[in-house]
PDB file of all heavy atoms in Angstrom:
ATOM      1  N   ALA R 372      -8.581  55.400-112.488  1.00 98.00           N
ATOM      2  CA  ALA R 372      -8.502  56.622-111.694  1.00 98.00           C
ATOM      3  C   ALA R 372      -9.879  56.906-111.099  1.00 98.00           C
ATOM      4  O   ALA R 372     -10.905  56.490-111.656  1.00 98.00           O
ATOM      5  CB  ALA R 372      -8.059  57.795-112.576  1.00 98.00           C
ATOM      6  N   VAL R 373      -9.895  57.595-109.971  1.00 98.00           N
ATOM      7  CA  VAL R 373     -11.147  57.934-109.302  1.00 98.00           C
ATOM      8  C   VAL R 373     -12.032  58.739-110.252  1.00 98.00           C
ATOM      9  O   VAL R 373     -11.565  59.663-110.934  1.00 98.00           O
ATOM     10  CB  VAL R 373     -10.853  58.723-108.010  1.00 98.00           C
ATOM     11  CG1 VAL R 373     -12.145  59.275-107.403  1.00 98.00           C
ATOM     12  CG2 VAL R 373     -10.137  57.834-107.002  1.00 98.00           C
ATOM     13  N   GLY R 374     -13.313  58.355-110.319  1.00 98.00           N
ATOM     14  CA  GLY R 374     -14.270  59.031-111.191  1.00 98.00           C
ATOM     15  C   GLY R 374     -14.435  58.368-112.546  1.00 98.00           C
ATOM     16  O   GLY R 374     -15.381  58.667-113.271  1.00 98.00           O
ATOM     17  N   TYR R 375     -13.516  57.448-112.877  1.00 98.00           N
ATOM     18  CA  TYR R 375     -13.609  56.732-114.155  1.00 98.00           C
ATOM     19  C   TYR R 375     -14.523  55.511-114.023  1.00 98.00           C
ATOM     20  O   TYR R 375     -14.705  54.965-112.939  1.00 98.00           O
ATOM     21  CB  TYR R 375     -12.219  56.288-114.629  1.00 98.00           C
ATOM     22  CG  TYR R 375     -11.494  57.351-115.422  1.00 98.00           C
ATOM     23  CD1 TYR R 375     -11.040  58.515-114.809  1.00 98.00           C
ATOM     24  CD2 TYR R 375     -11.285  57.211-116.787  1.00 98.00           C
ATOM     25  CE1 TYR R 375     -10.386  59.510-115.528  1.00 98.00           C
ATOM     26  CE2 TYR R 375     -10.632  58.195-117.523  1.00 98.00           C
ATOM     27  CZ  TYR R 375     -10.197  59.336-116.883  1.00 98.00           C
ATOM     28  OH  TYR R 375      -9.564  60.315-117.608  1.00 98.00           O
ATOM     29  N   ASP R 376     -15.091  55.085-115.149  1.00 98.00           N
ATOM     30  CA  ASP R 376     -15.915  53.878-115.160  1.00 98.00           C
ATOM     31  C   ASP R 376     -15.060  52.663-114.820  1.00 98.00           C
ATOM     32  O   ASP R 376     -13.905  52.569-115.247  1.00 98.00           O
ATOM     33  CB  ASP R 376     -16.549  53.676-116.542  1.00 98.00           C
ATOM     34  CG  ASP R 376     -17.560  54.758-116.883  1.00 98.00           C
ATOM     35  OD1 ASP R 376     -18.045  55.434-115.959  1.00 98.00           O
ATOM     36  OD2 ASP R 376     -17.852  54.936-118.081  1.00 98.00           O
ATOM     37  N   ALA R 377     -15.658  51.729-114.092  1.00 98.00           N
ATOM     38  CA  ALA R 377     -14.927  50.533-113.670  1.00 98.00           C
ATOM     39  C   ALA R 377     -14.998  49.455-114.752  1.00 98.00           C
ATOM     40  O   ALA R 377     -15.642  48.420-114.599  1.00 98.00           O
ATOM     41  CB  ALA R 377     -15.480  50.026-112.348  1.00 98.00           C
ATOM     42  N   ASP R 378     -14.354  49.741-115.884  1.00 98.00           N
ATOM     43  CA  ASP R 378     -14.158  48.761-116.962  1.00 98.00           C
ATOM     44  C   ASP R 378     -12.703  48.340-116.872  1.00 98.00           C
ATOM     45  O   ASP R 378     -11.804  49.110-117.222  1.00 98.00           O
ATOM     46  CB  ASP R 378     -14.449  49.383-118.330  1.00 98.00           C
ATOM     47  CG  ASP R 378     -15.893  49.844-118.474  1.00 98.00           C
ATOM     48  OD1 ASP R 378     -16.767  49.275-117.804  1.00 98.00           O
ATOM     49  OD2 ASP R 378     -16.133  50.772-119.264  1.00 98.00           O
ATOM     50  N   LEU R 379     -12.472  47.126-116.384  1.00 98.00           N
ATOM     51  CA  LEU R 379     -11.132  46.727-115.968  1.00 98.00           C
ATOM     52  C   LEU R 379     -10.840  45.297-116.387  1.00 98.00           C
ATOM     53  O   LEU R 379     -11.753  44.497-116.583  1.00 98.00           O
ATOM     54  CB  LEU R 379     -11.011  46.826-114.435  1.00 98.00           C
ATOM     55  CG  LEU R 379     -11.339  48.195-113.814  1.00 98.00           C
ATOM     56  CD1 LEU R 379     -11.619  48.071-112.322  1.00 98.00           C
ATOM     57  CD2 LEU R 379     -10.203  49.169-114.073  1.00 98.00           C
ATOM     58  N   VAL R 380      -9.566  44.979-116.492  1.00 99.00           N
ATOM     59  CA  VAL R 380      -9.166  43.597-116.770  1.00 99.00           C
ATOM     60  C   VAL R 380      -7.945  43.253-115.920  1.00 99.00           C
ATOM     61  O   VAL R 380      -6.989  44.027-115.843  1.00 99.00           O
ATOM     62  CB  VAL R 380      -8.928  43.360-118.285  1.00 99.00           C
ATOM     63  CG1 VAL R 380      -7.863  44.280-118.855  1.00 99.00           C
ATOM     64  CG2 VAL R 380      -8.579  41.898-118.571  1.00 99.00           C
ATOM     65  N   LEU R 381      -8.022  42.113-115.253  1.00 99.00           N
ATOM     66  CA  LEU R 381      -6.900  41.567-114.483  1.00 99.00           C
ATOM     67  C   LEU R 381      -6.247  40.480-115.315  1.00 99.00           C
ATOM     68  O   LEU R 381      -6.899  39.493-115.680  1.00 99.00           O
ATOM     69  CB  LEU R 381      -7.394  40.986-113.156  1.00 99.00           C
ATOM     70  CG  LEU R 381      -7.588  41.976-112.013  1.00 99.00           C
ATOM     71  CD1 LEU R 381      -8.502  41.379-110.946  1.00 99.00           C
ATOM     72  CD2 LEU R 381      -6.252  42.391-111.400  1.00 99.00           C
ATOM     73  N   VAL R 382      -4.972  40.673-115.634  1.00 98.00           N
ATOM     74  CA  VAL R 382      -4.277  39.723-116.507  1.00 98.00           C
ATOM     75  C   VAL R 382      -3.139  39.036-115.760  1.00 98.00           C
ATOM     76  O   VAL R 382      -2.578  39.577-114.808  1.00 98.00           O
ATOM     77  CB  VAL R 382      -3.719  40.421-117.776  1.00 98.00           C
ATOM     78  CG1 VAL R 382      -4.850  41.012-118.598  1.00 98.00           C
ATOM     79  CG2 VAL R 382      -2.687  41.488-117.430  1.00 98.00           C
ATOM     80  N   ASP R 383      -2.827  37.842-116.246  1.00 98.00           N
ATOM     81  CA  ASP R 383      -1.734  37.037-115.699  1.00 98.00           C
ATOM     82  C   ASP R 383      -0.545  37.146-116.651  1.00 98.00           C
ATOM     83  O   ASP R 383      -0.580  36.615-117.760  1.00 98.00           O
ATOM     84  CB  ASP R 383      -2.199  35.586-115.575  1.00 98.00           C
ATOM     85  CG  ASP R 383      -1.111  34.647-115.077  1.00 98.00           C
ATOM     86  OD1 ASP R 383       0.008  35.116-114.789  1.00 98.00           O
ATOM     87  OD2 ASP R 383      -1.381  33.437-115.001  1.00 98.00           O
ATOM     88  N   LEU R 384       0.496  37.851-116.213  1.00 98.00           N
ATOM     89  CA  LEU R 384       1.704  38.024-117.040  1.00 98.00           C
ATOM     90  C   LEU R 384       2.799  37.023-116.662  1.00 98.00           C
ATOM     91  O   LEU R 384       3.916  37.109-117.165  1.00 98.00           O
ATOM     92  CB  LEU R 384       2.229  39.463-116.911  1.00 98.00           C
ATOM     93  CG  LEU R 384       1.338  40.528-117.554  1.00 98.00           C
ATOM     94  CD1 LEU R 384       1.781  41.925-117.150  1.00 98.00           C
ATOM     95  CD2 LEU R 384       1.312  40.396-119.072  1.00 98.00           C
ATOM     96  N   ASN R 385       2.466  36.062-115.790  1.00 97.00           N
ATOM     97  CA  ASN R 385       3.472  35.101-115.321  1.00 97.00           C
ATOM     98  C   ASN R 385       3.371  33.747-116.012  1.00 97.00           C
ATOM     99  O   ASN R 385       4.299  32.946-115.935  1.00 97.00           O
ATOM    100  CB  ASN R 385       3.335  34.894-113.806  1.00 97.00           C
ATOM    101  CG  ASN R 385       3.456  36.207-113.053  1.00 97.00           C
ATOM    102  OD1 ASN R 385       4.373  36.970-113.300  1.00 97.00           O
ATOM    103  ND2 ASN R 385       2.510  36.480-112.161  1.00 97.00           N
TER     104      ASN R 385
END
Side-chain angles (χ1 to χ4, degrees):
V373 171
Y375 274 69
D376 293 341
D378 298 333
L379 304 162
V380 58
L381 277 161
V382 298
D383 177 2
L384 291 169
N385 303 312

